[in-house]
Each structure stands twice: as structure tokens, then as C-alpha cells.
Amino acid sequence: MKILIDNGHGKETPGKCSPDGRLKEYAYTREIADRLVTGLQNEGIDAQRIVPGENDVALFERVRRVNAFGKDAILVSIHCNAMGSGAEWMSASGWSVFVGVNASMNSKRLARQLAQVALNRKVKVRRPSPQKLYWTANFYICQQTNCPAVLVENFFQDNKEDVEFLLSEEGKQCVTNILLEGITNYLKEYIAVR
């Protein structure tokens, strides 16, 4: 199975940074994507980024690239959340994962595995209810791909404490490990139920 990693937004996308400009989403998500791909490859898992450059790639093109691999793949789209416009610090915090409104059972399984790893690591997981570990949203990249797909929001780029954590080596490793362990747990479950 091919693991496809999408790093959200591009260098030229307006906003998408912390109010103090220290965290830029395009750069952060690419660093995490690179760490994740390397970690998966070290586990013997076939993984690659679908947007290798720094510039934004239109969503329809991202979806085309993913769908070229068929259904025998999974997609994880990596982002940082924001509550406001990026001009001021906000109070919302935490990690979350989303599936499309038309999500397959495998998309939901992947989302649950990722969220469970985050909970096990004592991360604040934002969720719609105590029983439901993931959100459902009309995100184009999750809706239009043929394979299981999730979008993760790794904390808030307009929350001061979240930004400090995200920029620390501990935070980067935590985010990478949630994704790495969640994906490998999903693959084990996927093989077991086949």
C-alpha cells in the first residue's frame, strides 16, 4: 500500500502563519511531512509526498495525483489549525483529525487510529463528542480522493502555547510520532481485517 502525504498550503498562500510570524504553515507541514515519510520508509513502508515543492498546488491537481495511485493507497493531509485571521493570538488549542462527509470505513478507521495515538500520548484531542474521535467536514481533498483520506490539524498556529510546542523539537517529534504510529497501527488493522 502506498502512503501519500500532503503538506497543506504553499509558500505564497496568504496568512497561514502565527501572529508573530515564527511559524509558517507551509514550512512547518513540509518539515513534518519529510520527517513522516522518512520514518515510514525506515519501517519499510512505501511513502511519498504529493507536493514536493514549496509552492501551492491546486486541490484538483493534488486529488489527481492521489487518484493516480488508485484505491490501494491512503492519504494524510497535514495542516496547522487557526481560530482567527492570524493577526492576533487566540485561545483555541489542541490536535484534531477530519474525514470527508462521504468517508469510507477505512478513512474512519485511519482517523480513529491517529486520534487514539494522540490520546495515548496525552495530547489534547479536539473532537465533536467524547465518543467520536474525529470530525466530519466537506474538505475537497478528503471528499474527492478514491482512497482512504484524512486531514489532520496539528494544534493551532494562533495559540501562543501551541506554537511554542510546535516549534520545539519535542513538539515536532510528538506530531511526527502521532502520524507515524497512527498510520502503522492502521496498516496492521487493515491487514488483520482483510
Side-chain angles (χ1 to χ4, degrees):
M1 181 173 295
K2 188 84 164 178
I3 311 304
L4 303 171
I5 307 301
D6 173 48
N7 31 259
H9 308 295
K11 186 176 187 176
E12 72 283 3
T13 309
K16 307 298 181 191
C17 67
S18 59
D20 61 6
R22 290 174 46 223
L23 187 147
K24 299 198 182 324
E25 186 174 4
Y26 85 90
Y28 186 83
T29 58
R30 280 159 176 75
E31 180 178 351
I32 297 301
D34 284 341
R35 287 174 178 236
L36 177 58
V37 167
T38 298
L40 289 165
Q41 290 173 345
N42 288 343
E43 296 286 328
I45 298 168
D46 188 7
Q48 74 177 61
R49 283 175 49 192
I50 63 166
V51 180
E54 289 190 346
N55 293 331
D56 207 358
V57 170
L59 284 169
F60 71 85
E61 174 58 19
R62 292 174 191 234
V63 167
R64 188 198 66 73
R65 291 177 187 183
V66 171
N67 287 343
F69 289 96
K71 293 186 178 186
D72 212 18
I74 67 168
L75 171 71
V76 176
S77 186
I78 303 172
H79 296 260
C80 294
N81 216 337
M83 182 56 83
S85 66
E88 60 187 351
W89 295 109
M90 307 296 283
S91 61
S93 67
W95 182 95
S96 52
V97 61
F98 292 79
V99 298
V101 295
N102 62 344
S104 66
M105 285 307 300
N106 283 332
S107 294
K108 294 173 184 177
R109 274 191 190 109
L110 177 57
R112 278 194 299 272
Q113 288 288 359
L114 291 164
Q116 192 58 59
V117 170
L119 287 171
N120 292 348
R121 292 178 174 274
K122 309 295 188 236
V123 165
K124 175 185 176 183
V125 175
R126 297 171 61 87
R127 48 193 167 168
S129 71
Q131 296 78 29
K132 192 169 180 186
L133 297 177
Y134 57 84
W135 298 86
T136 303
N138 194 19
F139 290 133
Y140 186 88
I141 198 147
C142 292
Q143 296 282 106
Q144 300 300 318
T145 47
N146 293 331
C147 65
V150 299
L151 185 147
V152 293
E153 294 280 13
N154 295 293
F155 303 93
F156 281 75
Q157 63 194 8
D158 55 5
N159 177 293
K160 222 175 226 183
E161 290 76 25
D162 278 8
V163 168
E164 291 303 325
F165 181 67
L166 286 167
L167 291 176
S168 71
E169 184 54 35
E170 175 193 3
K172 290 175 184 179
Q173 201 55 54
C174 177
V175 168
T176 303
N177 288 342
I178 289 169
L179 300 173
L180 180 59
E181 190 178 334
I183 291 167
T184 55
N185 289 350
Y186 167 81
L187 292 173
K188 289 174 194 167
E189 181 183 8
Y190 179 80
I191 291 165
V193 297
R194 280 192 87 171

